[in-house]
Amino acid sequence: MVRLPEVPVPAAATVRFEPGGLHLMLLDIVGPLTPGMEVELTLRFATAGPVTFKAPVVDARTTAPPAGGSGPH
Ligand SMILES: [Cu+2]
């Protein structure tokens, strides 16, 4: 796994974050995260500004990766 300082998103392109591929990794989490919860995340875009969304918390040990993914790292 290599930490990327930024992820290019070409115009009209789609960038997918998924297990086994590009993903967001939460570090220094303050409280426990349990499946069923949602966490609010904000992506910051150079020209489009911030986009905030809610992401579900799932157990990576029991959740099947999407087709084409190789599972959690
Ligand atoms: Cu990672």
Side-chain angles (χ1 to χ4, degrees):
M1 182 172 47
V2 176
R3 182 177 181 174
L4 302 174
E6 60 186 29
V7 176
V9 182
T14 298
V15 174
R16 296 182 65 88
F17 292 92
E18 56 193 1
L22 286 175
H23 59 274
L24 302 174
M25 180 169 267
L26 306 181
L27 303 173
D28 301 325
I29 298 169
V30 176
L33 296 178
T34 56
M37 292 175 59
E38 288 186 322
V39 294
E40 189 171 282
L41 302 174
T42 299
L43 300 180
R44 300 181 193 290
F45 294 89
T47 56
V51 173
T52 299
F53 62 99
K54 290 184 178 178
V57 174
V58 298
D59 187 334
R61 296 168 298 185
T62 59
T63 303
S70 59
H73 54 85

